[in-house]
Amino acid sequence: MKYLEGLNEAQKRAVLAKEGPVSVLAGAGSGKTRVLTTRIYHLIRESVPAEQILAVTFTNKAAREMRERVRSQLGGDGPLPFIATFHGLGRELLESYGKAIGIPRFFSVYDREDSEKAIGAALKALDVGAKELSPRTVLGRISRAKGEGMRAQEFYDKHGRGSFGARIVAEAWLRYEKTLREEKALDFDDLIALPVRLLEEHDDVRSLAQERWRYIHIDEYQDTNALQGRLAGLLAEMHRNLFVVGDIDQTIYTWRGATIENLLEFDKLYKEAQTIILGQNYRSTKNLVEAANAIIEKNKNRKEKYSTTERNAGEPIVLHIALSAEDEARWIATKIRKLMRESVRPEDIAVLFRTNFQSRALEEGLLRAGIPYKLLGTRFFARKEVKDALAWIRLALDPSREVDKVRAAAAPARGLGRITLGKLAAGQRSELRAGELAKVEAFENIIAELSHAAETLAPSEFVKLVIEKSGMRRALFEEGNADDRERFENVEELASVAARHDLSPGKEGIAAFLAEAALASDQDEMDQGEKRGVTLMTVHAAKGLEFDTVFVSGMEEGLFPHEGMGGDEKRDEEEERRLFYVAMTRAKERLILTLARVRKIYGSDFISEPSSFLADIDGTLLVLEEGDDGEVIEA
């Protein structure tokens, strides 16, 4: 079989393991995506209908790349398997079968900002100030409870008479759920919790879903939480064709509910399971692979796995010790300038940091040096003008959404205030003055026109129509200033994103586009027409990416590994080590580690010692550089 050519023996075993449960322990850079897509292609070649194949991963970006690879292997012909994120899978289950638990066909998805606003309104109604209990804290507690499978009423029954904090969370949750119902909306956690409830409580729906997808693939299985593990188990219960790929050494999300046990104990849950280890690293040079092995082998809670590579030794790892965070940033900028003179593209360079506060000094250093950069984390879909346009689009699908109506009425402004809209919502239309009524009717006519157009237009064409009919083009482009025109470019970019769904014209495609927008992660922002340049991001955000050159800044004891400075909770030492392993293995050609002797944190100067992780790297793999010219002074 020609499509197996170029695969190593372990990869071939994984591709050809057609029936039964399989766990693939895939080291960094081991070609796991190629294995997943080739296995899917192999199943289709073996006469498995594409519609019976499911593949789940963790970001829209990864799902799109997997989809494109499978499409390419199939030659662009025939149907594709269902390939989505966990939240995308949850959305599909609820749209297809959610009527059984009262979920409307077209629901919207609250992003974190929407949820925090709704929680904030609930706290205000309870006369609780943000200093007493912040919306973010309350939402985090609700999220954890949903991840454990709890419902609002169940939580209230358990905690409604407890401590002040627990009681307020319980009461705020009930109000939050009421808001979601009124807005025909779900939040991120609902997209996992409700499908699990649906499948567990409705045998007929569970059977339909199990027959629909007979072969199930899950990428990054080490990042699944308990509820996601239950969802996978429910879908695979009948046919047991569950193929999971993961790397215990890259488990870095336990703080948000991921459980390493899903992968560690896979062969206990599925006793007939095959375990296949992908140990060959195709990404990084030998020096980088050996250093990463030395770091991760210190962990105890893992399955034995040693990475190898056939690549050459490559450059040694560079270590630079700066006096301060500002000096560190200045040195990094100078080093990047030197690399760019040596024809390294800025797009092939990443600067990683452990915590967000580090980005300020790094940004300033790059700005002073005139180096183009992009900071991952400034989310495209969270920008005001983009959210304004999305509100218009959601209104076209469901004109009853009051939150979107208020937002759209002010974007651009058309003389409709909250009082006027409040009267409408309260059924007091007759109390409106003639001028107010005329503005309301003009607004409603636009929504009605858009709603009619949504029935047939391709999503990208519909977005263009929304931009025109809403008045956003006139306000931002024709009459706006330079900043407004830049905002208009962001709104226009929505049409490019929507075009991915043009094969499904009408409301189905538009709803799919809205779901993609709501579920976008930081990595997805790299695809949204952002300016090119060096990428700045946290190590957590870098997972799954690769760059020719990677800087890891802040290699100081207490910062990396992190020890909860500023009141943060103490981090798990093994997870910190896994996080450093992830950072190291993003690099293909060169890895540059930097630290500052003195760093200002929360307004105070901290004198730091080098990270204990550095002592685990063989000295023969490291060189120490100092000075702005990158002079090597010690091996």
Side-chain angles (χ1 to χ4, degrees):
M1 291 177 280
K2 191 171 182 179
Y3 55 90
L4 297 179
E5 293 176 6
L7 298 178
N8 63 40
E9 288 307 308
Q11 290 173 329
K12 287 179 185 175
R13 281 180 56 214
V15 167
L16 297 174
K18 182 182 177 184
E19 303 294 334
V22 181
S23 71
V24 178
L25 304 182
S30 61
K32 67 180 179 65
T33 304
R34 183 181 181 188
V35 166
L36 272 167
T37 56
T38 305
R39 183 177 193 269
I40 290 170
Y41 178 69
H42 173 70
L43 289 174
I44 294 172
R45 287 286 299 267
E46 290 284 299
S47 300
V48 175
E51 297 91 339
Q52 292 184 3
I53 300 172
L54 169 67
V56 184
T57 187
F58 270 80
T59 67
N60 287 323
K61 183 180 191 309
R64 283 196 299 272
E65 289 173 354
M66 193 182 298
R67 205 176 293 120
E68 288 308 312
R69 286 204 199 189
V70 172
R71 182 181 283 116
S72 176
Q73 286 175 304
L74 292 172
D77 298 327
L80 286 175
F82 188 80
I83 301 173
T85 63
F86 260 107
H87 291 103
L89 169 62
R91 173 186 144 264
E92 175 64 23
L93 286 166
L94 292 173
E95 286 187 348
S96 298
Y97 315 113
K99 186 178 179 181
I101 55 172
I103 304 298
R105 178 69 182 89
F106 293 115
F107 55 82
S108 61
V109 180
Y110 268 26
D111 63 18
R112 192 165 186 85
E113 183 184 340
D114 295 329
S115 294
E116 286 188 12
K117 281 184 178 178
I119 295 289
L123 291 175
K124 185 176 180 181
L126 293 168
D127 200 25
V128 176
K131 290 184 178 180
E132 295 176 273
L133 205 56
S134 72
R136 177 171 294 187
T137 299
V138 173
L139 183 60
R141 184 66 189 92
I142 292 172
S143 181
R144 286 194 297 277
K146 284 187 176 183
E148 295 163 4
M150 293 187 77
R151 303 184 196 178
Q153 189 61 51
E154 181 184 356
F155 188 90
Y156 182 83
D157 292 343
K158 184 175 181 180
H159 298 288
R161 295 185 179 180
S163 66
F164 170 78
R167 187 174 73 253
I168 294 302
V169 170
E171 292 180 2
W173 189 356
L174 289 176
R175 290 172 181 266
Y176 175 52
E177 286 297 312
K178 183 173 182 290
T179 298
L180 290 173
R181 284 195 302 273
E182 289 172 350
E183 291 296 317
K184 299 177 186 175
L186 306 176
D187 65 16
F188 282 6
D189 298 305
D190 291 330
L191 293 179
I192 307 298
L194 292 179
V196 169
R197 173 184 153 196
L198 173 67
L199 296 179
E200 287 181 340
E201 295 181 355
H202 295 269
D203 295 347
D204 55 337
V205 172
R206 186 168 68 252
S207 295
L208 284 171
Q210 289 169 348
E211 285 295 348
R212 178 177 176 180
W213 294 307
R214 294 180 171 228
Y215 292 86
I216 299 167
H217 306 74
I218 300 182
D219 192 14
E220 306 287 7
Y221 198 62
Q222 79 281 348
D223 289 336
T224 53
N225 61 26
L227 213 53
Q228 289 164 335
R230 276 167 64 186
L231 180 57
L234 286 164
L235 290 173
E237 187 177 54
M238 182 183 295
H239 300 290
R240 298 182 75 77
N241 295 322
L242 180 58
F243 185 94
V244 303
V245 181
D247 183 3
I248 290 164
D249 295 334
Q250 295 187 63
T251 303
I252 61 174
Y253 292 117
T254 60
W255 51 275
R256 70 180 188 194
T259 172
I260 198 170
E261 279 72 25
N262 281 349
L263 188 55
L264 269 176
E265 299 181 1
F266 186 84
D267 51 358
K268 294 179 184 176
L269 185 60
Y270 299 93
K271 297 189 184 302
E272 74 275 32
Q274 298 182 58
T275 299
I276 300 169
I277 297 175
L278 304 183
Q280 186 167 345
N281 185 312
Y282 293 93
R283 175 187 300 155
S284 305
T285 62
K286 187 176 181 181
N287 283 344
L288 297 178
V289 170
E290 288 185 2
N293 281 334
I295 290 295
I296 203 61
E297 67 185 10
K298 292 287 186 74
N299 275 4
K300 306 298 183 194
N301 195 23
R302 63 190 293 260
K303 291 198 173 184
E304 195 61 36
K305 174 175 57 66
Y306 190 84
S307 292
T308 61
T309 184
E310 295 180 359
R311 293 198 61 194
N312 58 23
E315 300 179 19
I317 297 169
V318 170
L319 173 64
H320 176 72
I321 302 173
L323 290 177
S324 67
E326 288 70 26
D327 288 333
E328 177 190 40
R330 191 180 306 115
W331 186 88
I332 288 172
T334 302
K335 185 74 173 177
I336 290 173
R337 270 281 174 223
K338 184 180 179 184
L339 290 169
M340 289 168 64
R341 287 197 299 270
E342 295 169 359
S343 299
V344 176
R345 300 188 315 153
E347 292 76 31
D348 295 327
I349 300 172
V351 182
L352 309 184
F353 41 89
R354 173 62 182 82
T355 58
N356 281 304
F357 78 84
Q358 293 172 255
S359 68
R360 180 200 58 79
L362 294 168
E363 281 193 86
E364 289 178 359
L366 296 182
L367 279 169
R368 286 196 186 101
I371 295 171
Y373 73 91
K374 53 195 172 190
L375 178 64
L376 215 63
T378 307
R379 296 186 59 228
F380 174 80
F381 289 109
R383 291 172 178 151
K384 178 187 180 301
E385 63 274 15
V386 173
K387 295 197 78 168
D388 289 343
L390 291 173
W392 275 100
I393 296 167
R394 284 193 295 265
L395 269 184
L397 294 192
D398 183 359
S400 69
R401 282 178 51 87
E402 293 301 325
V403 170
D404 286 328
K405 197 174 290 183
V406 170
R407 182 160 203 142
R414 59 195 70 238
L416 289 175
R418 287 180 177 272
I419 295 176
T420 301
L421 294 171
K423 288 180 180 178
L424 279 180
Q428 298 168 349
R429 193 182 191 94
S430 60
E431 297 182 16
L432 296 177
R433 295 190 298 271
E436 290 176 324
L437 186 59
K439 291 174 183 176
V440 165
E441 290 177 345
F443 179 54
E444 290 175 337
N445 286 340
I446 296 171
I447 296 171
E449 183 180 350
L450 290 173
S451 186
H452 178 71
E455 299 285 352
T456 55
L457 282 183
S460 64
E461 292 303 314
F462 178 70
V463 170
K464 293 174 186 175
L465 184 66
V466 166
I467 293 169
E468 194 70 42
K469 293 294 182 180
S470 68
M472 294 185 80
R473 169 182 287 278
R474 174 181 49 76
L476 295 177
F477 183 72
E478 296 171 7
E479 299 174 1
N481 56 30
D483 288 341
D484 287 332
R485 282 190 282 277
E486 186 174 330
R487 294 186 187 100
F488 180 72
E489 289 176 1
N490 290 331
V491 174
E492 275 195 318
E493 181 64 22
L494 275 178
S496 300
V497 181
R500 297 171 185 151
H501 303 277
D502 279 355
L503 291 178
S504 301
K507 290 188 175 181
E508 295 287 339
I510 295 167
F513 155 66
L514 286 172
E516 178 182 354
L519 302 177
S521 69
D522 283 348
Q523 285 190 10
D524 296 315
E525 306 310 308
M526 298 182 75
D527 293 341
Q528 307 305 335
E530 291 291 307
K531 64 181 180 181
R532 300 175 68 81
V534 174
T535 302
L536 293 181
M537 65 183 129
T538 64
V539 181
H540 282 98
K543 187 169 175 293
L545 304 177
E546 60 181 40
F547 300 87
D548 284 349
T549 302
V550 171
F551 290 80
V552 184
S553 62
M555 291 301 304
E556 299 137 35
E557 194 67 13
L559 182 54
F560 204 2
H562 197 273
E563 290 182 356
M565 287 178 284
D568 193 7
E569 71 274 13
K570 186 174 177 64
R571 297 294 184 184
D572 173 12
E573 175 73 19
E574 290 212 349
E575 180 139 343
E576 289 295 300
R577 190 173 287 277
R578 291 193 293 266
L579 193 58
F580 184 41
Y581 173 79
V582 167
M584 298 174 77
T585 54
R586 299 312 93 203
K588 295 194 285 187
E589 303 297 335
R590 59 188 68 83
L591 176 65
I592 301 164
L593 309 176
T594 65
L595 63 102
R597 281 297 191 187
V598 179
R599 189 179 297 273
K600 192 177 290 292
I601 301 175
Y602 303 110
S604 301
D605 287 334
F606 283 79
I607 299 174
S608 304
E609 292 296 322
S611 170
S612 54
F613 292 154
L614 298 173
D616 296 329
I617 301 174
D618 192 318
T620 63
L621 303 177
L622 276 171
V623 296
L624 188 66
E625 286 190 10
E626 73 170 17
D628 288 344
D629 59 356
E631 177 190 2
V632 178
I633 64 166
E634 183 181 322

